[in-house]
Amino acid sequence: MLLCIDCGNTNTVFSLWDGQEFLCTFRTSTEWQRTADQYFVWWSTLLTHKGIKAHVDEVIISSTVPRVVFNLRVMADRYFNTRPLVVGKSDCLLPQPPRVDEGTQVGPDRLVNTAGAHDRHGGNLVVVDFGTATTFDVVADDGAYVGGVIAPGVNLSLEALHQAAAALPHVDVTKPQAVIGTNTVACMQSGVFWGYVGLVNGITERIKGEYDRPMKVVGTGGLAPLFSSGYALFDVIEDDLTMHGLTVIHAFNKDNEK
């Protein structure tokens, strides 16, 4: 079986792929100090709790936190006796290489989302991912990543607002009942919710205008359904796009071994 690992700035996700479907998905906070042994104990304990018996013989990793990759590599070698594929490394092939400025390093998460989105929806896409940062990835007709936009993430913006203004509290991200808030929390929730609806809508419309051809907008990340409830931002929402992209890249590399 294939173990897919997506390590983001905030959370790390492990998903087990049997070739047809994901059997389970577990999430933990991203901490570069966590050792290979700690990762395995956490993983194996959750598998046991779920009653899943699995023989992992292949691993693929996407990580935006380089310091974490070493211990994930050690875990794959020590406990699964396999050398993992790491997206962004020279030995990990992509279905289509990115077409960006020479010397530019594209985040592995964006490459994985591009591969997953193109596999499911073809080309000419805008992929909007609500993570630690809110990213917009433009996918060409042939599946290549050709550029995008990076904006502050929703929770990052809320945290910055709280830290910079001592009188403002922590608030949950939710759709407010009205645009005009009548208390501090409601005002903050309205500003964040409708502010990001406007940001996503405005940027995607500008991308479409600059790209100058019909494009489908794909939303992903935990907050995508929430923001889509306030405005028709996306043509489709994919809750497992990153993990699907990892299986696509893994399969492409396996096919090119033959």
Side-chain angles (χ1 to χ4, degrees):
M1 291 188 187
L2 172 66
L3 175 59
C4 299
I5 304 175
D6 172 38
C7 177
N9 291 295
T10 304
N11 292 317
T12 299
V13 182
F14 284 53
S15 288
L16 187 62
W17 174 253
D18 69 356
Q20 299 295 325
E21 62 180 352
F22 288 108
L23 300 181
C24 59
T25 296
F26 303 131
R27 184 182 301 267
T28 185
S29 59
T30 298
E31 297 176 5
W32 67 265
Q33 302 96 330
R34 186 171 285 140
T35 66
D37 300 328
Q38 289 174 312
Y39 275 118
F40 181 74
V41 169
W42 168 80
W43 163 254
S44 58
T45 300
L46 287 173
L47 280 184
T48 301
H49 178 71
K50 287 286 189 178
I52 298 173
K53 294 182 179 180
H55 173 64
V56 174
D57 54 7
E58 295 178 294
V59 178
I60 184 169
I61 300 168
S62 167
S63 177
T64 58
V65 186
R67 299 178 75 180
V68 174
V69 175
F70 174 77
N71 283 318
L72 293 174
R73 282 183 179 272
V74 172
M75 182 193 70
D77 177 64
R78 180 178 298 166
Y79 292 104
F80 305 132
N81 194 32
T82 185
R83 184 174 186 272
L85 273 174
V86 179
V87 179
K89 299 299 183 182
S90 58
D91 61 341
C92 181
L93 304 176
L94 298 172
Q96 286 289 346
R99 293 196 292 272
V100 293
D101 293 343
E102 186 175 352
T104 299
Q105 288 190 330
V106 181
D109 54 333
R110 308 182 82 177
L111 297 174
V112 171
N113 282 348
T114 294
H118 184 261
D119 183 69
R120 285 182 170 170
H121 303 289
N124 299 323
L125 308 174
V126 182
V127 181
V128 184
D129 188 358
F130 291 89
T132 304
T134 302
T135 59
F136 300 74
D137 302 324
V138 179
V139 185
D141 184 60
D142 63 354
Y145 170 88
V146 293
V149 176
I150 301 175
V154 178
N155 288 309
L156 190 64
S157 295
L158 279 172
E159 184 63 26
L161 192 62
H162 169 70
Q163 289 185 358
L168 296 180
H170 284 289
V171 298
D172 293 329
V173 182
T174 187
K175 181 182 178 182
Q177 294 182 346
V179 175
I180 301 173
T182 54
N183 57 68
T184 301
V185 170
C187 289
M188 292 176 67
Q189 289 176 332
S190 181
V192 169
F193 181 85
W194 292 111
Y196 270 85
V197 167
L199 180 145
V200 172
N201 182 58
I203 290 179
T204 53
E205 288 303 312
R206 285 182 174 274
I207 289 174
K208 289 178 182 178
E210 192 169 295
Y211 200 68
D212 196 27
R213 71 192 69 177
M215 303 183 79
K216 179 181 287 188
V217 181
V218 180
T220 190
L223 292 175
L226 172 65
F227 283 99
S228 187
S229 69
Y231 193 86
L233 295 175
F234 312 115
D235 296 299
V236 63
I237 294 175
E238 298 280 4
D239 59 359
D240 65 343
L241 185 64
T242 302
M243 287 302 168
H244 177 67
L246 285 171
T247 68
V248 171
I249 292 174
H250 178 266
F252 182 78
N253 279 264
K254 294 293 288 185
D255 289 343
N256 280 273
E257 285 179 359
K258 300 175 183 178

